[in-house]
Amino acid sequence: MATETVSSCTGSNLLQPISKIINLPLDQVNFVVCQLFALLTAFWFRLYLHPKKTSPVVRHVVATLLGFYLALFCFGWYALHFLVQSGLTYSIMIFAGLEHMHRYCFVMALGYLSFCQITRVYVFDYGMYSADFTGPMMVITQKITSLAFEIHDGLFRKEEQLSPSQKILAVRRMPSLLEYLSYNCNFMGILAGPTCSYNDYIAFIEGNAYQPKHLESNGKENGKYKQSDPSPKKDVIYKLCSCAVSLLVYLSVFRICPVERNIDDHFIATTPFYTQVLYLYLSMLATRPKYYFVWTLADAINNAAGFGFNGYNKDGTPRWDLISNLRILDIEFATSFKMFLDNWNIQTALWLKRVCYERCPYNPTAATFLLSAMWHGVYPGYYLTFFTGILMTLAARAIRHNVRQYFLGSATHKLIYDVITWAATQIAICYTVVPFVLLAVGPSLKFYRSWYFCIHLTCLLIVFALPVKPRHLRLKEQHSSLQQAPAQTEGAVQNSHSATDNNCNQKRKAT
């Protein structure tokens, strides 16, 4: 009886027969079905609730109500946490002073998320249910904190204090409660995101998203905007095909190459080390299509609703990657730790950069990884992964700054460098994220002990042997070099920045 009560609180049992037939957990079936429903609804939303046919208020209301319905279907009454978190932070935005409002919202949103994650894992019986309502709360936390900083930038800070990207993202008026809830909990992103800027979302709802980017096929701007809105059909179909391939690969390969085999005593004792390295790569490679499927489907849903337009390519075809969360080929062929991270969970990386890395006065790299670990949850494996990630990032940065220039003399040397750094990056990533998958301390340390902590020690040696100047000194040197440049060069640089800012304003995209 208790199990049935908990189950009824965490989501609908309507799809239980399908779950049994295909032998997948009910929460996963509910999630996929809700996302497919959201995809169909998104087409209807774009065609029948187009900004030319209805008001922004109607679009906000429909998007919000549909979002709450999907949340209730998947998570039951645990979805009320989305409202509580949004309500508390909105109250802070309204009643707290603009000077410190962003800090209060940051602490409240992240603190409430952490509270839910702690109770979710350590207080309630974890084995009684598998639906994780804190997943959507992670995206909502990103949106809350991003918007709080954007309001602070737009209503409190002086214009000259803002970077070019902060000027674009700055919010110049306090959002209404409806706008706030719609931004946080709309049906397009309630279950899997991705995060987007508030200005981009409001432009989409009000029908202004296409206008600054609306170009004719020959590349000239059409000031009268008489063309029809660009169609996302081709991009949606392409992304749905990518989803199908990712899901097929995941279901067929993941069970053949389980990550847990990396810590199996018999496997460790009888398998040569080079084979263990190869299997580590294959097992972690098999886990990634799950994320490819979830994030690409979420991207397709937003595109189907008309959200995500990002201007036109040189050949006149529309781009629908404004809020894309990953670039699969760039991930699989990444030749540096930074390149991998820049193309994996892109919107989360941008969030970390905007609210932490660019604003933290001391040790921004360590602070960013710590925030990422706290945001992901309370499992010890997350902290082991992100602690290791700090070492990896510092070591990779040191190698790039001290070694890379020696391989740029010829195409052959550059190719050798790329092959070596690709292999090193892929193994380093796999080594780093094993605790992220295993979650617990014991299995994670067992894996690292089986490798004799060799990559940890190598990274420490590289960091101490190949030092890199601190970020603030590098920025100061760049600033000094610009100041010492001739006046003509300085004027050209200023004109270039001005043109870049104008282009960014047209695209409404933070770079």
Side-chain angles (χ1 to χ4, degrees):
M1 180 65 69
T3 303
E4 292 178 0
T5 302
V6 173
S7 178
S8 64
C9 289
T10 57
S12 173
N13 292 320
L14 184 64
L15 302 176
Q16 185 71 51
I18 298 178
S19 173
K20 292 180 179 179
I21 292 174
I22 63 178
N23 194 27
L24 285 176
L26 178 60
D27 65 304
Q28 296 181 15
V29 175
N30 283 346
F31 172 84
V32 173
V33 170
C34 282
Q35 287 293 78
L36 293 177
F37 173 79
L39 177 67
L40 296 176
T41 306
F43 284 109
W44 169 81
F45 190 83
R46 180 173 65 89
L47 295 175
Y48 294 97
L49 291 183
H50 192 277
K52 296 178 181 178
K53 299 179 179 180
T54 188
S55 68
V57 173
V58 173
R59 285 167 62 84
H60 277 305
V61 170
V62 172
T64 306
L65 292 179
L66 285 172
F68 283 135
Y69 174 77
L70 295 179
L72 286 170
F73 189 92
C74 282
F75 309 110
W77 295 111
Y78 286 103
L80 291 178
H81 286 291
F82 308 163
L83 284 178
V84 174
Q85 186 187 33
S86 297
L88 290 174
T89 51
Y90 187 73
S91 299
I92 292 174
M93 290 182 181
I94 296 298
F95 298 109
L98 290 173
E99 183 177 2
H100 301 293
M101 172 268 295
H102 58 302
R103 296 191 180 96
Y104 298 153
C105 284
F106 182 88
V107 172
M108 174 58 73
L110 191 62
Y112 193 86
L113 172 65
S114 298
F115 167 78
C116 290
Q117 289 170 332
I118 291 171
T119 56
R120 164 74 173 81
V121 175
Y122 295 114
V123 177
F124 297 108
D125 186 352
Y126 187 85
M128 290 180 65
Y129 62 98
S130 57
D132 187 2
F133 66 94
T134 60
M137 287 186 67
M138 294 168 67
V139 179
I140 294 175
T141 299
Q142 289 183 345
K143 292 182 177 181
I144 290 171
T145 52
S146 296
L147 179 56
F149 278 94
E150 291 163 5
I151 293 174
H152 175 74
D153 291 342
L155 299 180
F156 181 80
R157 295 178 68 191
K158 297 179 180 179
E159 194 75 9
E160 58 269 19
Q161 295 177 322
L162 304 179
S163 67
S165 63
Q166 289 171 349
K167 291 178 183 178
I168 298 168
L169 296 170
V171 176
R172 307 296 178 177
R173 67 172 181 84
M174 191 67 69
S176 68
L177 179 59
L178 175 61
E179 291 171 331
Y180 187 70
L181 292 177
S182 175
Y183 172 61
N184 287 340
C185 303
N186 64 81
F187 75 95
M188 300 172 294
I190 184 67
L191 298 183
T195 299
C196 61
S197 78
Y198 177 79
N199 284 338
D200 283 331
Y201 180 74
I202 293 300
F204 156 70
I205 289 292
E206 295 179 350
N208 301 323
Y210 303 127
Q211 294 182 4
K213 312 168 188 179
H214 215 138
L215 305 178
E216 294 177 347
S217 58
N218 60 7
K220 296 181 180 179
E221 187 171 357
N222 177 7
K224 296 183 180 180
Y225 312 118
K226 290 184 177 179
Q227 291 180 322
S228 60
D229 293 341
S231 173
K233 182 173 64 175
K234 290 183 179 179
D235 290 79
V236 171
I237 293 174
Y238 173 79
K239 290 172 182 178
L240 291 179
C241 291
S242 299
C243 288
V245 173
S246 299
L247 185 61
L248 181 62
V249 171
Y250 175 73
L251 294 177
S252 59
V253 179
F254 180 72
R255 295 180 181 178
I256 300 176
C257 300
V259 178
E260 289 75 15
R261 188 176 297 167
N262 288 287
I263 58 173
D264 180 75
D265 292 330
H266 179 73
F267 177 80
I268 295 173
T270 60
T271 306
F273 185 69
Y274 67 88
T275 306
Q276 292 184 40
V277 173
L278 178 60
Y279 182 81
L280 172 66
Y281 171 69
L282 293 176
S283 63
M284 299 308 299
L285 180 67
T287 64
R288 291 202 283 266
K290 174 177 65 175
Y291 299 95
Y292 296 164
F293 170 77
V294 172
W295 289 336
T296 305
L297 180 57
D299 195 11
I301 292 170
N302 282 272
N303 292 167
F307 188 29
F309 176 67
N310 196 27
Y312 289 86
N313 296 307
K314 293 181 179 180
D315 59 359
T317 58
R319 294 169 52 197
W320 289 90
D321 60 353
L322 179 65
I323 56 174
S324 294
N325 224 3
L326 77 166
R327 303 182 188 97
I328 296 176
L329 293 180
D330 290 334
I331 290 171
E332 298 301 339
F333 294 100
T335 56
S336 70
F337 206 80
K338 181 180 184 300
M339 182 179 176
F340 187 99
L341 296 179
D342 285 346
N343 293 284
W344 172 271
N345 206 352
I346 296 171
Q347 301 307 318
T348 294
L350 288 175
W351 170 70
L352 291 168
K353 175 184 177 183
R354 292 165 181 169
V355 304
C356 183
Y357 188 83
E358 293 180 342
R359 301 176 191 265
C360 184
Y362 303 105
N363 297 321
T365 299
T368 301
F369 275 102
L370 177 60
L371 173 59
S372 183
M374 294 177 62
W375 175 77
H376 275 90
V378 294
Y379 285 108
Y382 296 154
Y383 290 84
L384 285 174
T385 286
F386 289 108
F387 171 75
T388 305
I390 295 174
L391 292 178
M392 295 290 181
T393 300
L394 295 177
R397 184 181 299 164
I399 291 175
R400 181 177 179 85
H401 280 258
N402 291 276
V403 177
R404 184 173 183 268
Q405 61 268 25
Y406 297 109
F407 288 86
L408 300 180
S410 68
T412 302
H413 291 167
K414 179 65 167 58
L415 178 62
I416 294 173
Y417 177 83
D418 288 341
V419 171
I420 294 174
T421 53
W422 172 82
T425 297
Q426 296 301 321
I427 297 303
I429 288 291
C430 295
Y431 179 90
T432 301
V433 301
V434 165
F436 193 94
V437 179
L438 298 178
L439 299 178
V441 173
S444 301
L445 292 181
K446 182 179 180 180
F447 168 76
Y448 283 147
R449 282 196 299 268
S450 71
W451 281 56
Y452 301 100
F453 292 90
C454 61
I455 298 185
H456 283 93
L457 297 176
T458 302
C459 288
L460 285 173
L461 180 63
I462 291 173
V463 169
F464 286 109
L466 302 175
V468 178
K469 290 183 180 179
R471 177 171 173 264
H472 69 279
L473 293 180
R474 298 199 306 270
L475 293 176
K476 184 181 293 185
E477 288 183 356
Q478 293 175 3
H479 182 69
S480 299
S481 63
L482 285 176
Q483 286 184 333
Q484 295 173 2
Q488 183 178 1
T489 304
E490 184 176 353
V493 171
Q494 290 176 350
N495 290 335
S496 175
H497 281 301
S498 177
T500 301
D501 288 345
N502 289 335
N503 184 53
C504 288
N505 280 311
Q506 289 177 356
K507 292 186 175 182
R508 302 181 62 83
K509 177 182 178 183
T511 56

